[in-house]
Amino acid sequence: MTIQFRPNTTQTHRGPTAVRRRRIQEGRPFPLGATWDGIGVNFALFSANATKVELCLFDAAGENEIERIELPEYTNEIYHGYLRDVRPGQIYGYRVYGPYEPDAGHRFNPNKLLIDPYAKQLIGEVKWDHALFGYTIGHDDGDLSFDERDSAAFVPKCRVVDPAFTWGDERRPNVFWDRTIFYETHVKGYTMRHPAVEERDRGKFAGLMTSEVIDYIRSLGVTSVELMPIHAFVDDSYLVDKGLRNYWGYNSIGFFAPDPRYLASNSIAEFKELVSAFHHARLEVILDVVYNHTAEGNELGPTISFKGIDNATYYRLLPDQKRYYINDTGTGNTVNTSHPRVMQLVTDSLRYWASEMRVDGFRFDLATILAREPTGFSEESSFLHATMQDPVLSEVKLIAEPWDCGPGGYQVGRFPPGWAEWNDGYRDTIRSFWRGDDGMIPAVASKFSASADLFDARGRKPWASVNFITAHDGFTLHDLVSYNDKHNEANGEDNRDGHSHNLSYNYGVEGPTDDQEMVETRFRQLRNFFATLLFSRGTPMILAGDEFARTQGGNNNAYAQDNEIGWVDWNITPESRELAEFVQKLIILRQSLAMLRRGTFLHGTFDEELGVKDVAWLKPEGKEFVDGDWADAEAKCFGVLLDGRAQETGIRRPGTDATMLIVMNAHFDVVNFTLPEAPGGKRWRCVIDTNLPIREELAPFDFGTEYMVTGRSFLVFMLEPDDTAESEDARRSFAHVSEAFARSAGDRLRV
């Protein structure tokens, strides 16, 4: 079906300025978007298949369209024009003309006001109405029909911005990868119930930069705050109909504009102020970004931006049925990053946030999508090439969620050097082990060593494995040890949504309990999870609020819960505060233990020249595992001996780090563990015992001692060096850890 256009004579313009004419100049095809140069504004919009583009100007409230101006020039598939009398603050949108031919992939409809893909700020939100759709809902021809209703009243508008901002003495923290600890959180969820945040700032960037909030995050010891999506996004119509919202924000419609709901000041400078405040606190800002799909959905979705600008270019369509969309994302559409202009859109967006907004890195939702070519995922994709060679993007942190819903979508370990990746195998393995599942020790040994089988190639380092036990998607850590099953009834889908493979355990009661023994078991398990996470090689990621046992009441898919279920509760109990202080202690120790941050993977091979193994895996009797021991499915207690004399870097010389012994016992009962003798030391000192979380001193234990390891507990011992001259470096390392232990006992969280 092909529609030929005629001027829209039904459009009503209100106000005396509707017929006012402005002087339009040719302008330039670059940069794309609306660019204020101090005199006027250049407008540039890419479309390979459009026949005409009209710039629509609105009044200050964005309610009345006051003028339409045809962009006069078309250069290299870019429509452009320049208006000298337009200033920052001007509200605008586009109407794009061209064939309405869904079977050929074209869905142009100038009755639909469109968001500029390069808009730096949006005002308003999508108001669901049939006018938003390019076709007439209910028509016998479905999406092949053509709708003539004007959508301007129901779509967000774009605003021209002035990018000027005084950064002062702000500097990027530039946290080394080996010291990075991610802290994943949500702008609104983290601030809505915080007692120190002013009511007007709750749920906003302004709330997140409240001094008490920043002080708490900094005192916890994490280095990099990963914000869930802040790009402009849309609340799905089916959620709005149920009185819910797309709380998480994985439904982007603008890749340059922060979502208006997070701006207390109605100015994008508010986000820059947030970044500046975090940087002054030596905290990095990482953005969770969604470039794999947009909120326009499939052929039955609305026409809000890309679909009406150039559907056949922006989206991957079925090659032999261009009416329909390739849906490797599970959301209805897939952004076509194989096209150079679409790739430019993504990389321009990333550079904008890294340069203009000064963020420190990006976590890419369903990153496999971005590296897909028509033949499937490829390490040689244009997206991966573009990011790695770009002088701006190659200097920031790049983190992949390395999977999608398409064929061959699971690609953990396949991203190129320079990238870090979420390691869901770590999550599942550690959950299974502490739940008490049989036969988990070999897998735990692998994941504890930064998954060398996946990442030890092409010069990649252990930090490439982003280790996590919980994230926004799934149970909180508290709920992981409190519920056997998901409880998503509040989502309105009869508890059918969310995954059921949680690898969780409630220890006897589903949900809250007054049984103090059970409560203590649960909190000990929380300590076990945190200790495992923070003492594993790799880059740890903590879900915000887990450190003080935040709950979602068993909801493991709170994507639509913009309420007390999804928001962090800052009414912290004494037990929860003790847990948070224990996590703070673990972080202090991790940052002090160079052994945990080494840039080498653990393989357990004997170094003939140095006469040492980097790691030895021990049975409870203090002897090394032999081949048959790894196959013992009932073994649930083991030790990890990390020898500080092992080679630290590529330079062939003995290491000088403190030697460590880590013991993990997933049995429900006590196991006697014999503390082994270690060269260069005279005794062991206990640093961590999750059964005794509060220790005032490094308790000494002689070699050969049978330590009673409490059921379900995690222990860390440091080797106290002997008095030989050769141990001078080891003594300094041990002293450094001792000082860190003392400091961790004295530091208190600012909460």
Side-chain angles (χ1 to χ4, degrees):
M1 180 178 185
T2 303
I3 301 293
Q4 298 297 324
F5 294 116
R6 59 184 183 276
N8 185 344
T9 58
T10 63
Q11 172 66 33
T12 300
H13 299 289
R14 288 173 284 178
T17 60
V19 297
R20 182 169 51 126
R21 294 187 178 277
R22 298 173 182 266
R23 185 182 179 195
I24 182 75
Q25 297 177 359
E26 295 82 358
R28 297 182 176 184
F30 58 86
L32 289 163
T35 306
W36 161 248
D37 63 5
I39 299 174
V41 177
N42 190 80
F43 294 89
L45 180 73
F46 160 78
S47 181
N49 295 291
T51 58
K52 183 173 76 170
V53 171
E54 289 179 338
L55 171 68
C56 303
L57 303 181
F58 288 79
D59 62 15
E63 295 177 354
N64 300 312
E65 185 178 337
I66 58 177
E67 189 174 5
R68 293 188 190 181
I69 304 168
E70 182 179 348
L71 294 183
E73 286 292 339
Y74 187 56
T75 306
N76 296 332
E77 299 183 331
I78 296 172
Y79 289 88
H80 55 95
Y82 182 85
L83 292 173
R84 292 179 63 90
D85 53 352
V86 168
R87 299 289 182 269
Q90 175 66 58
I91 310 301
Y92 74 99
Y94 288 113
R95 298 182 188 274
V96 181
Y97 294 74
Y100 187 85
E101 191 176 355
D103 284 332
H106 302 307
R107 296 179 178 271
F108 295 99
N109 186 336
N111 299 298
K112 311 306 169 184
L113 187 75
L114 304 175
I115 296 170
D116 180 358
Y118 278 76
K120 304 303 191 299
Q121 185 175 4
L122 300 183
I123 64 167
E125 62 182 11
V126 168
K127 300 174 184 176
W128 286 103
D129 187 271
H130 287 184
L132 288 171
F133 296 80
Y135 65 97
T136 302
I137 291 180
H139 195 282
D140 290 343
D141 290 334
D143 65 297
L144 295 179
S145 63
F146 183 79
D147 190 86
E148 295 187 355
R149 285 172 289 188
D150 194 304
S151 68
F154 310 103
V155 69
K157 315 300 190 299
C158 312
R159 172 179 278 155
V160 178
V161 303
D162 184 347
F165 182 79
T166 302
W167 287 95
D169 61 352
E170 176 271 347
R171 295 289 184 274
R172 292 182 185 274
N174 289 323
V175 179
F176 293 137
W177 264 111
D178 67 316
R179 288 191 175 273
T180 298
I181 300 175
F182 291 122
Y183 189 65
E184 187 194 31
T185 194
H186 187 283
V187 171
K188 185 172 185 179
Y190 202 69
T191 59
M192 278 301 291
R193 304 177 74 181
H194 196 292
V197 176
E198 296 287 343
E199 186 70 30
R200 67 178 183 276
D201 294 335
R202 292 186 174 184
K204 315 292 184 181
F205 296 130
L208 201 56
M209 72 176 87
T210 301
S211 59
E212 289 86 350
V213 173
I214 293 177
D215 286 348
Y216 167 74
I217 297 172
R218 184 60 182 163
S219 70
L220 182 62
V222 296
T223 66
S224 309
V225 178
E226 183 176 307
L227 300 178
M228 290 173 66
I230 65 159
H231 288 173
F233 61 92
V234 174
D235 292 312
D236 313 70
S237 59
Y238 77 91
L239 291 177
V240 174
D241 290 343
K242 293 192 294 185
L244 300 172
R245 304 292 293 270
N246 190 319
Y247 169 58
W248 284 352
Y250 292 93
N251 203 28
S252 298
I253 198 59
F255 297 142
F256 291 79
D259 194 276
R261 70 194 78 187
Y262 296 146
L263 294 171
S265 62
N266 201 30
S267 169
I268 64 170
E270 184 177 329
F271 181 80
K272 295 180 180 180
E273 292 169 6
L274 170 65
V275 173
S276 180
F278 271 53
H279 283 182
H280 276 98
R282 308 306 298 162
L283 291 168
E284 291 184 321
V285 177
I286 310 295
L287 296 188
D288 191 338
V289 288
V290 186
Y291 296 109
N292 57 78
H293 74 281
T294 78
E296 291 184 301
N298 61 15
E299 66 277 2
L300 300 180
T303 298
I304 304 174
S305 181
F306 310 94
K307 186 179 289 185
I309 294 171
D310 196 344
N311 182 70
T313 294
Y314 279 109
Y315 296 115
R316 294 191 188 275
L317 307 178
L318 291 176
D320 54 348
Q321 291 182 293
K322 294 185 180 298
R323 176 183 174 185
Y324 302 106
Y325 296 74
I326 293 173
N327 186 22
D328 288 335
T329 64
T331 61
N333 64 52
T334 304
V335 172
N336 181 24
T337 51
S338 295
H339 191 282
R341 285 297 187 190
V342 182
M343 176 55 59
Q344 180 188 0
L345 171 72
V346 173
T347 53
D348 282 353
S349 169
L350 292 169
R351 279 189 293 268
Y352 173 76
W353 289 98
S355 299
E356 181 67 28
M357 298 299 205
R358 301 198 183 184
V359 303
D360 305 284
F362 304 94
R363 178 267 187 189
F364 294 85
D365 180 65
L366 301 184
T368 301
I369 287 289
L370 301 174
R372 277 187 183 274
E373 298 296 338
T375 56
F377 174 85
S378 172
E379 294 181 60
E380 302 300 319
S381 70
S382 56
F383 171 73
L384 294 178
H385 281 174
T387 53
M388 293 311 298
Q389 62 80 36
D390 187 278
V392 174
L393 302 182
S394 61
E395 295 297 320
V396 300
K397 289 183 167 72
L398 302 174
I399 307 110
E401 182 186 43
W403 50 79
D404 65 28
C405 299
Y410 190 77
Q411 296 292 336
V412 177
R414 292 283 308 282
F415 278 71
W419 280 77
E421 304 175 40
W422 274 26
N423 188 349
D424 63 328
Y426 180 93
R427 174 198 64 196
D428 293 348
T429 296
I430 303 306
R431 286 186 178 191
S432 296
F433 174 74
W434 285 115
R435 189 173 67 167
D437 291 3
D438 290 343
M440 293 307 302
I441 288 180
V444 173
S446 172
K447 302 308 177 187
F448 187 83
S449 306
S451 301
D453 58 319
L454 296 174
F455 296 104
D456 190 8
R458 304 174 66 187
R460 301 185 79 180
K461 298 297 183 182
W463 56 256
S465 174
V466 176
N467 301 330
F468 65 101
I469 297 166
T470 55
H472 65 274
D473 186 3
F475 277 148
T476 66
L477 201 60
H478 169 278
D479 293 355
L480 186 68
V481 299
S482 303
Y483 296 90
N484 283 351
D485 303 300
K486 63 183 181 180
H487 296 271
N488 298 349
E489 290 80 8
N491 295 353
E493 299 179 39
D494 296 324
N495 206 32
R496 293 189 303 269
D497 64 305
H499 53 82
S500 299
H501 187 62
N502 295 297
L503 300 170
S504 60
Y505 188 32
N506 65 20
Y507 300 95
V509 173
E510 187 75 351
T513 179
D514 293 326
D515 185 321
Q516 288 305 304
E517 183 177 351
M518 192 176 300
V519 169
E520 172 50 34
T521 297
R522 289 176 174 180
F523 269 88
R524 188 166 66 253
Q525 287 288 63
L526 295 179
R527 293 191 290 269
N528 292 337
F529 280 122
F530 274 116
T532 307
L533 176 66
L534 289 163
F535 279 75
S536 295
R537 289 207 179 173
T539 303
M541 184 184 78
I542 296 171
L543 176 63
D546 274 355
E547 72 274 14
F548 47 76
R550 168 182 170 252
T551 181
Q552 291 180 167
N555 191 314
N556 75 349
N557 189 32
Y559 76 105
Q561 298 303 322
D562 189 4
N563 50 45
E564 285 80 3
I565 293 175
W567 301 340
V568 172
D569 184 0
W570 289 91
N571 183 22
I572 300 173
T573 66
E575 293 88 353
S576 294
R577 176 184 286 272
E578 287 181 3
L579 175 65
E581 290 177 349
F582 180 75
V583 174
Q584 178 195 39
K585 176 179 182 177
L586 293 175
I587 292 174
I588 290 172
L589 290 170
R590 176 185 173 86
Q591 299 291 35
S592 301
L593 289 164
M595 171 64 75
L596 301 177
R597 299 181 283 100
R598 284 186 174 184
T600 55
F601 292 88
L602 299 172
H603 291 289
T605 54
F606 185 76
D607 188 317
E608 295 286 351
E609 182 178 343
L610 301 180
V612 65
K613 282 186 176 182
D614 56 355
V615 61
W617 308 95
L618 307 180
K619 296 179 290 185
E621 51 268 35
K623 304 297 183 182
E624 280 197 63
F625 274 74
V626 295
D627 290 344
D629 297 322
W630 293 103
D632 184 356
E634 296 183 0
K636 297 177 183 178
C637 179
F638 71 104
V640 187
L641 182 62
L642 300 171
D643 198 319
R645 302 171 301 156
Q647 184 176 333
E648 299 176 34
T649 67
I651 300 174
R652 297 288 295 164
R653 62 186 178 198
T656 60
D657 296 333
T659 293
M660 300 171 54
L661 172 65
I662 294 172
V663 179
M664 302 185 217
N665 180 21
H667 278 296
F668 65 88
D669 204 355
V670 171
V671 172
N672 289 333
F673 195 98
T674 301
L675 301 181
E677 184 173 355
K682 55 185 176 182
R683 64 176 68 89
W684 292 104
R685 295 277 186 169
C686 188
V687 181
I688 296 292
D689 183 342
T690 56
N691 187 52
L692 300 168
I694 301 175
R695 278 186 180 273
E696 300 299 331
E697 62 178 358
L698 293 168
F701 294 92
D702 293 332
F703 298 148
T705 299
E706 286 194 359
Y707 193 102
M708 295 179 63
V709 181
T710 306
R712 302 187 177 108
S713 61
F714 182 105
L715 297 95
V716 178
F717 297 88
M718 301 298 302
L719 183 66
E720 181 180 349
D722 58 26
D723 298 324
T724 62
E726 292 78 10
S727 300
E728 182 60 33
D729 288 334
R731 284 199 297 274
R732 280 196 295 267
S733 180
F734 178 78
H736 180 59
V737 175
S738 299
E739 292 168 4
F741 179 87
R743 182 161 61 87
S744 69
D747 281 7
R748 289 294 179 266
L749 285 174
R750 299 179 184 179
V751 61

